[in-house]
Amino acid sequence: MSAKKFAFNSPDEAIAAIADRLRVAGVDAECPSCLGRVLAKPVTADRDSPAADVSAMDGYAIRLSDLRPGETIPVHGESVPGSPPPAMSEGSLVRIFTGAIVPAEADAVVKREDTEEFENAIRFRDVALSTLAGENIRRAGENAKSGSTVLPAGVLINAAHRATMVNFGCYQASVFSPVRVTVITTGDEVGVFADETPQPWQLRNSNQVALTSLIEPNPWIAIQAVQHVRDDRETLQQSLAAALDQSDAILMTGGVSMGDYDYVPDVVREVGGDVVFHGLPIRPGKPILGAATAEGKLILGLPGNPVSAVVGCRRFALPLLAKQSGQTQWCPPATQVRLQSAGSKTLPLHWMRIVKMVADGVAEPVFSQGSGDLVSLGQSSGFVEVPVGESGEGPWRYYSW
């Protein structure tokens, strides 16, 4: 198949096209365990941040009128974090610590190192005499004003977000419901042989384990069902229709090529899937199929070869599921790495080349016998995407497992 016959010229184009057709999941009410979930409503500041004028330095809260060269100025009181500030007596200073509230009468804070310190008094060094109004003071609301948005909807909540939320009294949040996913593997040759040895013509179901292992660690995904279907058109149609009733997305492996038993494309259409792409200029994984239903549900048909299935899940399924989860940054920029010992080989396709990381920002190719080589897959840490007709060290976009 030549590049001109593909509906889309790159993975990015295909992902963007089908993403526009997908529906975002529903919303869960206030959720206390929201780490790793997607924020459904903005978080707003319940008060100014900082809540009051605070000192940015250890030093002395002063009136500008106290900046007199050579004079010894008395120190009366101190302001410490976690306590209200003392009032400033006329003609005296207040010792202050970083983060403590600045007395209302103060104009600025002079750094401690810009003074000569005595018992209960200080004298300003020359450098302190040029202190300006407001210097070394962080004003109330400088970070955020009360009522302003501090986290927008669509954020995938991490530890830093939780810190921000708690700072503004948000101990639980409205989050999008997890994307409900069903994984369906196909093929008469594939089975589960936990307690017995498969025959030479049989395969253990590595695709089922690989796909669930890629998506399960994400709290914004809920695996509804995992099943295997033999190469029977009617059974596949029934299984897919039932899965669509209880899921937001279906990930399938096998049956997407042009063989006599490759029923997936026709069955997807029969259950209401509108095929956005079937075949993309990529290796491995060229027969990949992407469809969306009228309800905005995703059906992604991945090739049955193990490397193709895992690459396709990482490159296509994860960002599309992230789109369904409500994330605004559902397709973030990939890490860039350089490829050592890359060689000069080029392909007329986007080459998803499995690699292992060997140093910071550096990877090397993993020798592979093809998209069925699970040994090479297990030796890799991810893959780089080498564009059509290009070669060399890159840098190339890198996707880790």
Side-chain angles (χ1 to χ4, degrees):
M1 186 181 293
S2 67
K4 293 182 180 179
K5 294 182 180 179
F6 292 107
F8 300 99
N9 293 321
S10 72
D12 288 340
E13 289 182 10
I15 289 171
I18 197 168
D20 287 341
R21 310 277 294 275
L22 301 179
R23 183 190 65 188
V24 174
V27 175
D28 287 347
E30 297 298 305
C31 177
S33 302
C34 56
L35 186 65
R37 301 287 296 277
V38 182
L39 197 61
K41 296 180 181 179
V43 175
T44 58
D46 66 337
R47 61 176 184 168
D48 287 347
S49 175
D53 293 351
V54 296
S55 179
M57 296 286 176
D58 289 348
Y60 296 90
I62 67 163
R63 297 179 178 87
L64 291 182
S65 59
D66 294 325
L67 287 173
R68 298 186 296 273
E71 293 191 22
T72 299
I73 312 295
V75 177
H76 292 159
E78 64 179 20
S79 183
V80 298
S83 296
M88 290 181 67
S89 302
E90 190 69 32
S92 68
L93 312 176
V94 168
R95 189 179 184 190
I96 194 166
F97 296 87
T98 303
I101 294 180
V102 177
E105 302 88 350
D107 299 317
V109 171
V110 172
K111 292 185 287 186
R112 185 178 184 184
E113 56 265 35
D114 292 344
T115 68
E116 296 178 66
E117 295 181 309
F118 308 99
E119 187 175 358
N120 299 322
I122 67 158
R123 183 181 298 129
F124 295 113
R125 300 183 188 276
D126 288 345
V127 67
L129 299 176
S130 59
T131 299
L132 301 175
E135 195 162 334
N136 298 319
I137 296 176
R138 296 186 57 225
R139 296 298 185 187
E142 184 177 298
N143 298 331
K145 293 291 187 182
S146 178
S148 65
T149 297
V150 293
L151 288 176
V155 164
L156 179 60
I157 301 169
N158 60 26
H161 299 134
R162 290 290 288 132
T164 299
M165 293 164 69
V166 169
N167 183 64
F168 293 102
C170 182
Y171 292 90
Q172 56 186 19
S174 292
V175 294
F176 287 107
S177 304
V179 181
R180 301 169 302 162
V181 179
T182 292
V183 175
I184 300 176
T185 55
T186 68
D188 288 349
E189 74 281 16
V190 179
V192 178
F193 305 96
D195 300 317
E196 57 184 289
T197 301
Q199 297 297 320
W201 56 86
Q202 296 176 309
L203 298 173
R204 294 185 173 95
N205 198 339
S206 64
N207 283 344
Q208 189 177 90
V209 174
L211 267 60
T212 55
S213 297
L214 270 175
I215 64 176
E216 193 171 32
N218 300 290
W220 44 273
I221 292 175
I223 297 179
Q224 292 292 104
V226 179
Q227 55 185 286
H228 182 73
V229 180
R230 299 181 66 85
D231 289 325
D232 177 80
R233 180 170 180 153
E234 183 177 352
T235 302
L236 181 61
Q237 196 269 354
Q238 291 173 352
S239 296
L240 184 54
L244 280 172
D245 284 340
Q246 63 174 348
S247 304
D248 303 303
I250 314 294
L251 305 184
M252 308 178 69
T253 66
V256 293
S257 297
M258 302 298 291
D260 291 343
Y261 298 99
D262 292 329
Y263 303 125
V264 169
D266 289 339
V267 168
V268 166
R269 293 182 176 92
E270 289 170 4
V271 298
D274 183 10
V275 176
V276 178
F277 57 81
H278 184 198
L280 292 173
I282 60 175
R283 181 181 293 176
K286 188 167 67 172
I288 188 170
L289 178 148
T293 69
E295 296 79 23
K297 298 185 177 187
L298 170 68
I299 305 174
L300 190 65
L302 304 168
N305 284 329
V307 179
S308 300
V310 180
V311 167
C313 184
R314 176 65 182 86
R315 184 66 175 90
F316 293 86
L318 281 179
L320 291 171
L321 295 175
K323 174 65 163 58
Q324 289 183 288
S325 77
Q327 295 178 51
T328 51
Q329 297 295 318
W330 56 271
C331 198
T335 301
Q336 298 275 329
V337 303
R338 294 193 175 275
L339 198 58
Q340 69 179 23
S341 306
S344 59
K345 180 179 179 179
T346 64
L347 293 179
L349 307 163
H350 294 266
W351 188 3
M352 311 299 186
R353 193 174 186 184
I354 60 172
V355 299
K356 63 179 179 181
M357 296 299 299
V358 294
D360 290 343
V362 181
E364 67 178 16
V366 174
F367 175 76
S368 176
Q369 298 285 2
S371 58
D373 187 353
L374 280 159
V375 175
S376 64
L377 181 65
Q379 295 171 348
S380 67
S381 55
F383 62 93
V384 294
E385 184 173 326
V386 182
V388 174
E390 297 193 29
S391 63
E393 70 170 15
W396 311 119
R397 288 195 285 182
Y398 170 69
Y399 300 88
S400 70
W401 302 131

